[in-house]
Amino acid sequence: MTRKIDIFDTTLRDGEQSPGASMNTEEKLVVARQLLRLNVDVIEAGFPISSPGDFESVRRIAELAGDQAVVCGLTRAVEKDIDSAADALKYAKRPRIHTGLGVSPSHLRDKLRISEDECVERAVKCVKYAKKYVEDVQFYAEDAGRSDYNFLVRVIQAVVDAGATVVNIPDTTGYSLPEEFGQRIKYLVEGVNGIENVKIAVHCHNDLGMATALAMAGVKNGASQIECTINGLGERAGNTAMEEVVMAIKMHGDELDAHTDVNTREFCKASRLVSSITGMNVQANKAIVGANAFAHSSGIHQDGVLKKRDTYEIIDPADVGAGTSQIVLTARSGHAALKHRLEELGYELEGEALDQVYEAFLNLADKKKEVYDEDLESLVNERDRNESALYTLEGVQISCGFPLTPTATVTLKNAADQTVTACEYGTGPIDAMCKAVNKIVQVDNDLTEFAVQSVTRGIDALGEVTIRVTDPAGDIYTGRGADGDIVVSSTKAYLNALNRLLNDKQEKRG
Ligand SMILES: [Zn+2]
């Protein structure tokens, strides 16, 4: 049997830190359920001290996961952070505290302003402090990718002696080359006494497009945990993509002496879900989950694949859940059929929630006859977005064309259940609609990005709109909306972005 590599997902922590990708607690729970279906080993659910929302997310995901996965909370090497993480993880069956600090010359000198001795002392102190609360303590040596080899050995030796169960070696800035990073891991394996009793984790960023290669180099040299995210979401250029490392291990398990327990058939769905919730679209040529990942257009390639798939295709699309979209339901499908299909897709809806999705489904089925899995996912996500909304859309009417002046009339319902209508004109229908919405919502914002995508093929497909807005503080908020009419999806997306902005400001005010 090959070595088991633990998959540590940090979509909900590192991934969520990417600009415009923030998720609320309900959305994080939806993603967490999908992570459990993927059968990941560890879920890093958030950074509890950073906000009440993060605390609540960690608490609820800890309850949700039961004993199926380890649930982890991030902290700095600070006692009050660790207290807060321990509190959030109180009801976790398998809690882990993830604590640590910077170890590179740049972090010691310019960020922490401490000596090497002080760094070791703090590292030991935070691990021992976390150990008072939980048995499973993971230490991160931030910016290890740019640290001095011997100093890194010294820090890791100290935290292993202090009782750390996992040591995380991150290439925080995505600076390393794979071969060198592998050597670094090997140096630890050879230089730290007792390292065989703990797990070595790698956490690699994609600033040079090498996150996956770095993680693989780590595994090859002794790492037994990979930290990663769905779609490679994460700070800046992102984190290691889970679908990439897991499939690379699956393809090369023997030479790496490694395997994972991830259910790879859930990858495409996980990708769509995270993209839909965060509004971060996946490029068509993205490995494993991109729309073109299994598309062959050259005649020679097509001919080869038709004769035998593995002439040009190393992965069976079905293994990652790609290309399985089916016409599942029509307007004649009943409540029970919808509920059943949603359950197969992993959504458990009851009562009013199910009724709402059923109603939306009937509307859609009336218009486009054939409803695909992707359509259903989109309808469920649409309903979830409305759940925590301060403003909901009651109606939108647009007149535009040539030579008309584009005009929009928008009716919204506010949190106090009052209906408000506004009318505006603009340079185009979207401009007019945004102005009308702004007249009612009255919150300062700049629309910085606007994109339309169809959910499935066909001219009658649902149009999904992604909108990004920036507030005067520079914070970015993403909104999504889906509808058969793209003006309606645009209005929903804009409103979704503004609702997130308002919710966030409210949460920050406490
Ligand atoms: Zn990171």
Tab-separated table of all heavy atoms in Angstrom, residues 308-332:
chain	number	residue	atom	x	y	z
A	308	LYS	N	-9.201	5.375	-29.601
A	308	LYS	CA	-8.952	4.931	-28.232
A	308	LYS	C	-8.687	6.174	-27.379
A	308	LYS	O	-7.816	6.968	-27.707
A	308	LYS	CB	-7.751	3.978	-28.182
A	308	LYS	CG	-7.692	3.201	-26.880
A	308	LYS	CD	-6.830	1.933	-27.003
A	308	LYS	CE	-6.995	1.000	-25.818
A	308	LYS	NZ	-6.536	1.559	-24.551
A	309	ARG	N	-9.459	6.310	-26.296
A	309	ARG	CA	-9.428	7.533	-25.531
A	309	ARG	C	-8.030	7.947	-25.081
A	309	ARG	O	-7.634	9.109	-25.172
A	309	ARG	CB	-10.338	7.410	-24.299
A	309	ARG	CG	-10.487	8.682	-23.508
A	309	ARG	CD	-11.304	8.480	-22.236
A	309	ARG	NE	-10.759	7.465	-21.373
A	309	ARG	CZ	-9.706	7.645	-20.588
A	309	ARG	NH1	-9.097	8.806	-20.560
A	309	ARG	NH2	-9.246	6.665	-19.830
A	310	ASP	N	-7.229	6.999	-24.622
A	310	ASP	CA	-5.963	7.403	-24.008
A	310	ASP	C	-4.873	7.774	-25.019
A	310	ASP	O	-3.738	8.023	-24.644
A	310	ASP	CB	-5.479	6.383	-22.973
A	310	ASP	CG	-5.169	5.029	-23.572
A	310	ASP	OD1	-5.141	4.932	-24.807
A	310	ASP	OD2	-4.960	4.076	-22.788
A	311	THR	N	-5.222	7.834	-26.325
A	311	THR	CA	-4.215	8.344	-27.266
A	311	THR	C	-3.906	9.804	-26.967
A	311	THR	O	-2.777	10.256	-27.128
A	311	THR	CB	-4.684	8.215	-28.729
A	311	THR	OG1	-5.991	8.774	-28.826
A	311	THR	CG2	-4.692	6.778	-29.199
A	312	TYR	N	-4.926	10.561	-26.591
A	312	TYR	CA	-4.694	11.985	-26.290
A	312	TYR	C	-5.292	12.422	-24.958
A	312	TYR	O	-5.278	13.589	-24.631
A	312	TYR	CB	-5.249	12.881	-27.408
A	312	TYR	CG	-4.405	12.867	-28.660
A	312	TYR	CD1	-4.754	12.079	-29.751
A	312	TYR	CD2	-3.243	13.643	-28.731
A	312	TYR	CE1	-3.963	12.059	-30.894
A	312	TYR	CE2	-2.455	13.622	-29.869
A	312	TYR	CZ	-2.815	12.831	-30.948
A	312	TYR	OH	-2.033	12.825	-32.062
A	313	GLU	N	-5.887	11.508	-24.215
A	313	GLU	CA	-6.566	11.910	-22.992
A	313	GLU	C	-6.058	11.051	-21.849
A	313	GLU	O	-6.190	9.827	-21.889
A	313	GLU	CB	-8.074	11.701	-23.178
A	313	GLU	CG	-8.932	12.695	-22.448
A	313	GLU	CD	-10.384	12.614	-22.916
A	313	GLU	OE1	-11.058	11.626	-22.578
A	313	GLU	OE2	-10.817	13.524	-23.624
A	314	ILE	N	-5.428	11.680	-20.830
A	314	ILE	CA	-4.868	10.875	-19.743
A	314	ILE	C	-5.886	10.590	-18.643
A	314	ILE	O	-5.709	9.702	-17.836
A	314	ILE	CB	-3.609	11.532	-19.126
A	314	ILE	CG1	-3.921	12.928	-18.580
A	314	ILE	CG2	-2.477	11.595	-20.155
A	314	ILE	CD1	-2.835	13.502	-17.696
A	315	ILE	N	-6.956	11.393	-18.622
A	315	ILE	CA	-7.951	11.233	-17.560
A	315	ILE	C	-9.296	10.939	-18.203
A	315	ILE	O	-9.666	11.587	-19.190
A	315	ILE	CB	-8.063	12.529	-16.730
A	315	ILE	CG1	-6.742	12.813	-16.004
A	315	ILE	CG2	-9.209	12.460	-15.722
A	315	ILE	CD1	-6.679	14.203	-15.407
A	316	ASP	N	-10.015	9.984	-17.661
A	316	ASP	CA	-11.382	9.748	-18.114
A	316	ASP	C	-12.254	10.866	-17.519
A	316	ASP	O	-12.312	11.004	-16.298
A	316	ASP	CB	-11.849	8.380	-17.609
A	316	ASP	CG	-13.259	8.050	-18.080
A	316	ASP	OD1	-13.932	8.963	-18.614
A	316	ASP	OD2	-13.672	6.892	-17.899
A	317	PRO	N	-12.924	11.672	-18.375
A	317	PRO	CA	-13.715	12.794	-17.847
A	317	PRO	C	-14.679	12.374	-16.733
A	317	PRO	O	-14.903	13.130	-15.785
A	317	PRO	CB	-14.474	13.293	-19.071
A	317	PRO	CG	-13.673	12.860	-20.246
A	317	PRO	CD	-12.951	11.599	-19.849
A	318	ALA	N	-15.212	11.152	-16.845
A	318	ALA	CA	-16.166	10.704	-15.824
A	318	ALA	C	-15.511	10.607	-14.441
A	318	ALA	O	-16.178	10.763	-13.421
A	318	ALA	CB	-16.748	9.348	-16.228
A	319	ASP	N	-14.203	10.363	-14.404
A	319	ASP	CA	-13.488	10.256	-13.127
A	319	ASP	C	-13.488	11.551	-12.325
A	319	ASP	O	-13.245	11.543	-11.126
A	319	ASP	CB	-12.017	9.874	-13.371
A	319	ASP	CG	-11.832	8.379	-13.385
A	319	ASP	OD1	-12.828	7.667	-13.160
A	319	ASP	OD2	-10.686	7.937	-13.619
A	320	VAL	N	-13.676	12.679	-13.011
A	320	VAL	CA	-13.713	13.950	-12.274
A	320	VAL	C	-15.103	14.578	-12.368
A	320	VAL	O	-15.298	15.740	-12.042
A	320	VAL	CB	-12.632	14.942	-12.788
A	320	VAL	CG1	-11.241	14.395	-12.503
A	320	VAL	CG2	-12.787	15.258	-14.262
A	321	GLY	N	-16.054	13.774	-12.835
A	321	GLY	CA	-17.444	14.252	-12.896
A	321	GLY	C	-17.678	15.249	-14.017
A	321	GLY	O	-18.585	16.075	-13.943
A	322	ALA	N	-16.855	15.180	-15.077
A	322	ALA	CA	-17.051	16.121	-16.191
A	322	ALA	C	-17.928	15.494	-17.258
A	322	ALA	O	-17.956	14.280	-17.414
A	322	ALA	CB	-15.706	16.489	-16.807
A	323	GLY	N	-18.627	16.358	-17.983
A	323	GLY	CA	-19.405	15.902	-19.127
A	323	GLY	C	-20.525	14.961	-18.771
A	323	GLY	O	-20.968	14.163	-19.579
A	324	THR	N	-20.994	15.064	-17.538
A	324	THR	CA	-22.067	14.161	-17.151
A	324	THR	C	-23.421	14.866	-17.154
A	324	THR	O	-24.394	14.319	-16.681
A	324	THR	CB	-21.821	13.606	-15.735
A	324	THR	OG1	-21.538	14.720	-14.875
A	324	THR	CG2	-20.672	12.635	-15.710
A	325	SER	N	-23.449	16.099	-17.694
A	325	SER	CA	-24.699	16.842	-17.609
A	325	SER	C	-25.782	16.143	-18.416
A	325	SER	O	-25.569	15.717	-19.543
A	325	SER	CB	-24.508	18.274	-18.083
A	325	SER	OG	-24.551	18.336	-19.474
A	326	GLN	N	-26.935	15.984	-17.787
A	326	GLN	CA	-28.029	15.265	-18.422
A	326	GLN	C	-29.286	16.092	-18.353
A	326	GLN	O	-29.444	16.913	-17.474
A	326	GLN	CB	-28.292	13.965	-17.663
A	326	GLN	CG	-27.160	12.995	-17.717
A	326	GLN	CD	-27.284	11.974	-16.604
A	326	GLN	OE1	-28.316	11.888	-15.947
A	326	GLN	NE2	-26.236	11.217	-16.391
A	327	ILE	N	-30.163	15.797	-19.339
A	327	ILE	CA	-31.480	16.400	-19.220
A	327	ILE	C	-32.165	15.590	-18.151
A	327	ILE	O	-32.337	14.382	-18.304
A	327	ILE	CB	-32.274	16.241	-20.524
A	327	ILE	CG1	-31.505	16.874	-21.667
A	327	ILE	CG2	-33.663	16.815	-20.377
A	327	ILE	CD1	-31.971	16.419	-23.027
A	328	VAL	N	-32.461	16.217	-17.043
A	328	VAL	CA	-33.005	15.408	-15.967
A	328	VAL	C	-34.489	15.591	-15.787
A	328	VAL	O	-35.195	14.652	-15.483
A	328	VAL	CB	-32.274	15.682	-14.643
A	328	VAL	CG1	-30.944	14.995	-14.645
A	328	VAL	CG2	-32.123	17.141	-14.392
A	329	LEU	N	-34.937	16.816	-15.964
A	329	LEU	CA	-36.326	17.065	-15.614
A	329	LEU	C	-37.015	17.920	-16.668
A	329	LEU	O	-36.368	18.659	-17.406
A	329	LEU	CB	-36.385	17.783	-14.265
A	329	LEU	CG	-35.772	17.052	-13.066
A	329	LEU	CD1	-35.650	17.989	-11.892
A	329	LEU	CD2	-36.585	15.831	-12.697
A	330	THR	N	-38.327	17.820	-16.717
A	330	THR	CA	-39.119	18.673	-17.595
A	330	THR	C	-40.270	19.249	-16.778
A	330	THR	O	-40.407	18.918	-15.591
A	330	THR	CB	-39.722	17.858	-18.761
A	330	THR	OG1	-40.679	16.943	-18.203
A	330	THR	CG2	-38.661	17.103	-19.520
A	331	ALA	N	-41.096	20.071	-17.440
A	331	ALA	CA	-42.202	20.713	-16.727
A	331	ALA	C	-43.156	19.695	-16.116
A	331	ALA	O	-43.898	19.998	-15.187
A	331	ALA	CB	-42.952	21.649	-17.672
A	332	ARG	N	-43.116	18.460	-16.610
A	332	ARG	CA	-44.026	17.449	-16.063
A	332	ARG	C	-43.463	16.767	-14.812
A	332	ARG	O	-44.154	15.992	-14.161
A	332	ARG	CB	-44.342	16.403	-17.142
A	332	ARG	CG	-45.335	16.890	-18.188
A	332	ARG	CD	-45.703	15.787	-19.171
A	332	ARG	NE	-44.533	15.242	-19.847
A	332	ARG	CZ	-43.938	15.796	-20.897
A	332	ARG	NH1	-44.416	16.921	-21.392
A	332	ARG	NH2	-42.882	15.244	-21.459
